[in-house]
């Protein structure tokens, strides 16, 4: 039961409004075909800002979160909400013809910061290794970057606030290679 988990267990740190607005303003090209994902919805800060700025209609927005305590609040925004562990419960590789992968034009968020010493990674290490073997299982934010890159449509945009450790640490060399081989990085703000 996740509702007993605290913010520390979830790696949840909510994003200040000025940071939310800065990140939302980095995204562009919204139209009636756009589909946005916030894969770790938390308090709904990004979704709220996108709706306030009239960038998308609520039906174009998908929010996922592992914490059942946020469900009612997020659903009141009129968006599609899924209660799930995104890292373990999202199909993002074409393993057969029947699993159609849902793709998004825009993905934004502040993924949880849990390292390999966290109870979450320790508890799910073997399952996570099977899914994220290409980059290694070191930090949840790195797993979210990798996962969400696979969920982007061609020319889609991903905007996350994360630790900057993926830029230099040896444990993230495989993630850097994956990103630099497959994507165009428009902006890194430290």
């Amino acid at each position: 039961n996740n509702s007993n988990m605290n913010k520390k267990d979830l790696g949840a740190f909510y994003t200040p409004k000025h940071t939310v607005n800065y990140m939302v303003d980095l995204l562009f090209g919204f139209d009636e075909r756009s589909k946005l994902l916030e894969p770790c919805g938390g308090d709904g800060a990004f979704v709220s800002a996108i709706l306030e700025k009239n960038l998308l209609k609520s039906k174009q927005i998908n929010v996922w979160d592992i914490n059942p305590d946020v469900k009612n609040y997020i659903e009141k925004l009129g968006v599609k909400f899924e209660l799930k562990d995104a890292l373990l419960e999202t199909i993002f590789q074409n393993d057969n013809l029947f699993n159609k992968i849902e793709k998004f034009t825009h993905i934004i968020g502040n993924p949880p910061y849990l390292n390999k010493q966290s109870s979450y990674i320790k508890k799910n290490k073997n399952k996570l290794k099977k899914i994220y073997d290409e980059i290694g299982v070191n930090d949840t934010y790195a797993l979210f970057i990798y996962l969400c890159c696979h969920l982007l449509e061609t020319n889609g945009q991903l905007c996350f606030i994360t630790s900057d450790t993926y830029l230099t640490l040896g444990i993230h060399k495989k993630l850097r290679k994956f990103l630099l081989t497959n994507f165009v990085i428009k902006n890194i703000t430290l």
Side-chain angles (χ1 to χ4, degrees):
N1 180 359
N2 290 332
S3 61
N4 295 329
M5 297 176 91
N6 64 31
K7 286 183 180 180
K8 182 176 179 278
D9 292 331
L10 294 170
F13 296 94
Y14 296 112
T15 314
K17 185 80 171 156
H18 68 276
T19 304
V20 168
N21 286 328
Y22 174 78
M23 291 171 62
V24 168
D25 289 345
L26 290 173
L27 298 176
F28 57 89
F30 292 107
D31 62 29
E32 65 281 346
R33 294 178 310 279
S34 298
K35 278 180 60 178
L36 180 127
L37 171 66
E38 186 175 351
C40 17
D43 62 359
F46 294 101
V47 171
S48 295
I50 288 162
L51 291 170
E52 284 168 19
K53 293 172 186 254
N54 291 315
L55 297 174
L56 293 172
K57 293 178 173 60
S58 57
K59 68 179 183 185
Q60 295 175 277
I61 299 173
N62 295 262
V63 177
W64 302 340
D65 204 281
I66 194 170
N67 184 356
D69 295 341
V70 304
K71 183 179 191 294
N72 289 339
Y73 175 75
I74 298 291
E75 285 181 337
K76 282 181 187 155
L77 298 172
V79 302
K80 182 177 166 194
F81 178 83
E82 281 184 66
L83 179 65
K84 71 176 187 172
D85 181 332
L87 293 177
L88 289 173
E89 298 174 34
T90 305
I91 296 166
F92 66 91
Q93 291 159 328
N94 283 319
D95 54 353
N96 67 50
L97 297 171
F98 304 105
N99 286 332
K100 182 164 177 357
I101 300 167
E102 188 171 15
K103 298 275 188 165
F104 301 91
T105 57
H106 301 83
I107 301 176
I108 192 168
N110 182 355
Y113 298 26
L114 296 170
N115 66 27
K116 58 187 167 193
Q117 303 308 315
S118 70
S119 59
Y120 174 82
I121 289 187
K122 284 180 177 177
K123 182 176 92 177
N124 297 298
K125 185 104 178 154
N126 291 333
K127 289 181 198 165
L128 290 167
K129 274 186 172 179
K130 285 180 185 155
I131 302 169
Y132 300 96
D133 183 55
E134 183 179 0
I135 63 160
V137 178
N138 298 296
D139 293 290
T140 52
Y141 82 81
L143 302 179
F144 269 99
I145 290 172
Y146 181 81
L147 167 67
C148 290
C149 283
H150 283 89
L151 298 175
L152 281 176
E153 288 187 3
T154 302
N155 297 319
Q157 300 164 48
L158 171 66
C159 185
F160 272 173
I161 181 171
T162 68
S163 166
D164 64 358
T165 58
Y166 75 97
L167 296 173
T168 55
L169 290 185
I171 59 170
H172 292 304
K173 186 176 184 179
K174 292 177 180 178
L175 175 62
R176 287 192 298 276
K177 181 179 182 200
F178 168 76
L179 291 172
L180 293 171
T181 303
N182 298 292
F183 298 91
V184 174
I185 297 170
K186 296 264 184 165
N187 187 329
I188 296 176
T189 304
L190 297 175

